[in-house]
Amino acid sequence: MKTTSHRRPGHPTHRVLVLGAGYAGLITALRVGPHARVTLVDPADHFTERVRFHEKAAGRPDVTHPLSAFLHRTGIEHIPARATAIDTTARQVTTDDGRRLPYDRLVYALGSRTAPPTTTGEPRAYTAETAGALHLRLRDRPGSVAVVGGGLTGIEMAAELAETHRPLGTRVRLLTGGRVGAGLSPRGAAHVHRVLQQRGARVEEGRRYATPDEVDADIVVWATSFVPNTELAVSAGLALAPSGRIAVDTSLRSTSHPEVYVPGDAGAAAHPDAATELRMACATALPTGTHTADSIIRELRGEEPEPLAFGYRFQCVSLGRKEGLIQFVHPDDSPRDRLLTGRAAATFKELVVRGATWYIRRSAKRL
């Protein structure tokens, strides 16, 4: 069923089509809403806090919010369908329910997903996206759990599961081919090790696993890396960067199709002062979504979009409900030798997560 918000009289007719209602897509749609005719395409009727997937695996009932709560009286139309093709010549998107949606500007905000594991045996590997199923499995048949991947996603998942399920006899291991928390400072990584050990989780570094079949555990959680959702972009002929993300200029426009903007994880935006691409994270999605909206608004005014100006300040890591790590970083995301730990860090992380949703809601209320 299509959801259409009340459109204000005299609403502009410039058509902006937004694919994806995650952090980047939703904030872009809301900020452009007063200036153009915005259509948001996403099969779900809710916004998902992806940064809480580890909490859902541990039993949090819900990590979603109804889209209607954000879109009410904004004039933005939500099409509950999945985009299946982009025709850049005709400037239209086809959806799985047979619609053909025209656009003047397209916002490709389809984000990323956990790199899917390959397996030849029983399908027993879970990812952050299947956190609900993982929780049910642990609740019904607890056993040994191996989280594969030593990045922030793997760390948060291992700590949360170890804290929640240790009383049930669940044994948790965190496995990684490199070192746990490779992007953290030595003090930050040491704190992660210490807290995991306190939670009863065992850390094993230095061995790479190609498939879940190689892991000796009752349950495997695959958290090795994220891959951008660029299949539609490839089919449409959008240029890709060597990383596999969509190549964009400094204003986040596709280098091959400048009428297409790519905020969030799918785009290969680079830090202004570094050659590295921005990290796939909520911390990147909201600023790039905001910048995309501002760029489109500038174009509507006949002005040239400005380059993205962005720098990181910290990395937030949950280590269960009562512990955390705030790793302060340089603007290029390299770690400083400054930390916040303990309950204060857990509270800080919770405020940041709530603040992201509050920021989106505030954008809707300001329309």
Side-chain angles (χ1 to χ4, degrees), residues 53-356:
F53 276 155
H54 59 283
E55 297 178 44
K56 188 171 181 63
R60 187 183 180 97
D62 194 16
V63 297
T64 67
H65 305 269
L67 277 179
S68 58
F70 298 95
L71 303 182
H72 181 62
R73 302 190 68 84
T74 62
I76 297 170
E77 180 181 19
H78 171 223
I79 302 292
R82 189 179 305 278
T84 56
I86 301 171
D87 185 337
T88 56
T89 301
R91 293 198 179 187
Q92 68 177 17
V93 169
T94 302
T95 60
D96 58 1
D97 60 357
R99 301 174 193 264
R100 287 182 172 80
L101 305 173
Y103 64 84
D104 296 301
R105 290 293 180 272
L106 177 66
V107 178
Y108 191 107
L110 295 178
S112 64
R113 65 188 185 278
T114 303
T118 57
T119 180
T120 57
E122 179 185 354
R124 58 190 177 94
Y126 297 84
T127 65
E129 291 83 359
T130 57
L134 171 60
H135 170 65
L136 294 177
R137 170 65 175 80
L138 286 167
R139 186 191 65 184
D140 296 340
R141 289 180 293 153
S144 61
V145 177
V147 179
V148 182
L152 302 189
T153 300
I155 290 170
E156 291 191 323
M157 185 67 74
E160 199 81 28
L161 295 182
E163 177 182 272
T164 305
H165 292 282
R166 188 180 185 184
L168 302 177
T170 299
R171 302 179 306 281
V172 177
R173 294 149 61 213
L174 178 59
L175 316 178
T176 178
R179 70 176 182 89
V180 168
L184 302 174
S185 67
R187 288 179 59 222
H191 181 73
V192 168
H193 274 268
R194 185 163 51 251
V195 173
L196 288 173
Q197 184 178 25
Q198 292 170 352
R199 299 290 184 273
R202 178 177 161 188
V203 175
E204 300 177 15
E205 299 173 319
R207 178 181 172 183
R208 297 188 180 278
Y209 293 87
T211 73
D213 298 324
E214 300 174 5
V215 182
D216 181 17
D218 297 319
I219 302 167
V220 177
V221 183
W222 203 253
T224 55
S225 62
F226 289 107
V227 293
N229 294 319
T230 55
E231 291 79 3
L232 274 180
V234 171
S235 298
L238 272 66
L240 298 185
S243 64
R245 299 164 82 175
I246 300 170
V248 295
D249 64 14
T250 58
S251 298
L252 306 183
R253 294 175 295 192
S254 163
T255 56
S256 59
H257 296 78
E259 73 280 4
V260 179
Y261 281 86
V262 193
D265 292 357
H271 188 277
D273 301 322
T276 56
E277 293 177 5
L278 297 180
R279 173 164 45 98
M280 293 186 184
C282 167
T284 307
L286 284 176
T288 55
T290 299
H291 183 80
T292 292
D294 292 345
S295 295
I296 292 174
I297 293 168
R298 287 182 66 88
E299 283 195 309
L300 294 177
R301 294 172 177 166
E303 303 170 0
E304 184 66 18
E306 296 181 346
L308 174 68
F310 172 71
Y312 294 99
R313 296 183 179 180
F314 46 76
Q315 296 180 15
C316 299
V317 189
S318 290
L319 298 172
R321 295 299 82 215
K322 300 177 181 179
E323 253 286 3
L325 168 67
I326 307 304
Q327 172 70 69
F328 292 92
V329 299
H330 297 281
D332 65 357
D333 210 28
S334 59
R336 299 178 185 270
D337 191 33
R338 182 186 171 199
L339 308 174
L340 179 66
T341 61
R343 188 180 290 273
T347 301
F348 189 109
K349 169 66 185 285
E350 177 62 23
L351 290 174
V352 168
V353 173
R354 291 187 185 184

